[in-house]
Amino acid sequence: MKTCTVPTQFGDLILFEEDAHIVALDWGVAAREDSTEVLEEARRQLLAYDAGTLEAFDLPLLVKGSDFQREVCAEMSAIPFGETCTYGDIGKKLGAPAQAVGGACGGNPIPIIIPCHRVMGAKGLTGFSGAGGVETKVALLRHEGAGGFLL
């Protein structure tokens, strides 16, 4: 697997590429810095998102996991920049319980690019599986102008 590090206001991010697809994003510094067309484009887009000049990612993604995991990731990817929805909203679309959707959101292998931070619980803000937990989720939502519900 090829990797690279992208420094952002949300922390250093590690991109993982396999077979010309982004397969994961994590927090930290990559053990090895690779350069491929896919990694360089993903880096460029993450930096543009971080700078506030990109609202939608356009990258080749490969979500490993169950069909349900891929369906939930597809629904999260359809949530527009600056907007939120609930686990229940996604559950209704997929005919699944909100708790199952929450589990799939927590297992999102490509956070930020697949915007699980835009998914809330029925009563508001919930956890976030990325580094920094809910504080990072709040930072991402504020960055997108979706943090008004926090005031």
Side-chain angles (χ1 to χ4, degrees):
M1 205 173 318
K2 306 246 190 283
T3 60
C4 75
T5 306
V6 182
T8 73
Q9 64 182 301
F10 312 107
D12 289 335
L13 304 175
I14 307 171
L15 288 165
F16 297 84
E17 177 198 336
E18 189 175 294
D19 298 326
H21 291 84
I22 299 299
V23 296
L25 181 148
D26 202 357
W27 275 258
V29 177
R32 182 178 83 236
E33 293 292 324
D34 297 306
S35 179
T36 68
E37 285 184 37
V38 170
L39 284 175
E40 291 307 317
E41 180 59 18
R43 179 195 318 264
R44 185 192 70 71
Q45 289 187 32
L46 273 171
L47 290 172
Y49 171 83
D50 185 52
T53 60
L54 180 86
E55 294 185 356
F57 292 95
D58 183 19
L59 297 166
L61 306 178
L62 178 62
V63 176
K64 296 181 179 184
S66 68
D67 288 343
F68 182 69
Q69 178 74 53
R70 284 189 289 280
E71 289 172 353
V72 170
C73 285
E75 289 296 326
M76 289 187 293
S77 293
I79 305 167
F81 181 93
E83 295 184 23
T84 62
C85 73
T86 67
Y87 300 111
D89 293 335
I90 293 174
K92 285 176 189 164
K93 289 181 183 179
L94 299 179
Q99 294 82 358
V101 172
C105 287
N108 175 12
I110 316 171
I112 301 177
I113 295 171
I114 297 176
C116 52
H117 59 277
R118 297 178 189 156
V119 185
M120 305 289 143
K123 296 180 181 175
L125 192 62
T126 56
F128 183 66
S129 60
V134 73
E135 290 83 12
T136 300
K137 183 172 188 164
V138 168
L140 288 162
L141 291 169
R142 282 194 173 135
H143 175 69
E144 295 184 8
F149 66 90
L150 298 170
L151 302 175

